[in-house]
Amino acid sequence: MIDLEVSGSAAAEPVRGGSTTDQPRKRRERTRRHVFVAAGVLWAVAITVAVLWRGGVGVSPPPVAAPSASPSMSDAPLSNADIYQTLLPSVVRIETTRRPSASSGSRMTESAVGTGVIANSDGTILTAAHVVASATTIQISYADGSRTTATVADADEATDIATLTPRELPETLVPAVLGGATAVGDEVVAIGNPLGLSMSTSAGVVSGLNRQVAGTPGLIQFDAAVNPGSSGGPLINNQGQVVGIVVSLANPTDAGTFIGIGFAVPIGTAIAAGREGNGPAVPPL
């Protein structure tokens, strides 16, 4: 460009014929150079501002919410499918072996299946006491397929509630949300292993409160289907909260199958179950 060629010259030669230096021409050339330099500076500033803005330099990042240890519950009722998906990682299958009782007349080791729910961030499992009573071995199966052994940490025969300490935890530990009041007519969901069918769910309503069965008072009556193997599993409200631990069912026959009446220990009672209860246990599932 002509401007670059001019800017490289040291001085303009005088015009032949004795005329003076072409001062107006030089002034125009200097003006052009200044204009181009100023335009280049403005362009560079504009590019720099754009890069800094996109890169976030000097720009305060948006605030990030701090992690919270308390789960956030939705005010809107959850669907049964949502409840199942939410609680499934917190439910465990319990398999036990026992020495045969003297009255059974058998020499073979007895086995049984029950259910439990992870109730604490340390992996503590709540279940029904009769599920693990007199067990020689306790095997836990988590929802992710991993397995471990467990030992009884505490058991209260009066409330039929026990807590288990697993030897190992799953890769991702998801304790259930415990709590919530119940009223007659409230919708509830039960998750368990009825008749050995792993992680089955059923839905119903709270049919009654403060029922007494086999000397155990204060039970929740419900009509979500439960069967042998469901015992120790969670009874869940439509907010995804565990409101009770399933312990028994009512059946006037000897069949031991569900006819529409199940019972659960309220979660407050289950959490507070002591070590010295010696009342009769609820008939097992």
Side-chain angles (χ1 to χ4, degrees), residues 7-270:
S7 64
S9 302
E13 294 183 0
V15 179
R16 291 183 181 180
S19 63
T20 61
T21 305
D22 189 356
Q23 295 298 330
R25 181 170 175 271
K26 294 176 63 178
R27 283 196 296 271
R28 287 195 301 271
E29 292 170 349
R30 284 197 297 269
T31 300
R32 289 179 189 174
R33 289 200 303 271
H34 293 161
V35 170
F36 275 92
V37 170
V41 170
L42 290 175
W43 179 253
V45 170
I47 293 297
T48 302
V49 170
V51 171
L52 293 178
W53 179 263
R54 292 183 179 181
V57 178
V59 179
S60 298
V64 178
S68 173
S70 300
S72 176
M73 300 302 298
S74 171
D75 292 332
L78 300 175
S79 68
N80 293 339
D82 289 337
I83 293 171
Y84 179 76
Q85 293 299 326
T86 300
L87 269 293
L88 186 62
S90 305
V91 180
V92 301
R93 177 186 173 102
I94 300 174
E95 298 176 58
T96 62
T97 58
R98 297 180 176 85
R99 295 186 180 89
S101 62
S103 60
S104 67
S106 173
R107 296 182 179 181
M108 298 181 64
T109 299
E110 299 173 352
S111 61
V113 174
T115 307
V117 60
I118 301 172
N120 203 326
S121 58
D122 64 0
T124 295
I125 295 170
L126 268 177
T127 188
H130 69 261
V131 169
V132 294
S134 304
T136 53
T137 65
I138 302 173
Q139 187 83 26
I140 301 296
S141 297
Y142 294 109
D144 64 2
S146 60
R147 295 167 62 88
T148 187
T149 57
T151 56
V152 177
D154 195 5
D156 181 19
E157 187 179 347
T159 57
D160 194 18
I161 292 294
T163 55
L164 308 180
T165 301
R167 181 179 179 183
E168 296 179 1
L169 302 180
E171 184 174 347
T172 302
L173 183 70
V174 185
V177 178
L178 309 181
T182 55
V184 174
D186 283 353
E187 296 179 352
V188 287
V189 168
I191 301 177
N193 304 288
L195 305 177
L197 301 172
S198 295
M199 303 303 175
S200 299
T201 188
S202 58
V205 298
V206 173
S207 306
L209 298 172
N210 297 317
R211 303 302 196 197
Q212 179 167 326
V213 179
T216 301
L219 299 179
I220 301 170
Q221 178 189 337
F222 61 91
D223 68 356
V226 289
N227 278 289
S230 298
S231 211
L235 187 69
I236 311 146
N237 66 12
N238 61 11
Q239 300 297 312
Q241 300 168 315
V242 177
V243 295
I245 300 297
V246 176
V247 291
S248 65
L249 56 80
N251 191 329
T253 73
D254 294 332
T257 54
F258 186 69
I259 60 170
I261 300 176
F263 298 101
V265 175
I267 194 62
T269 303

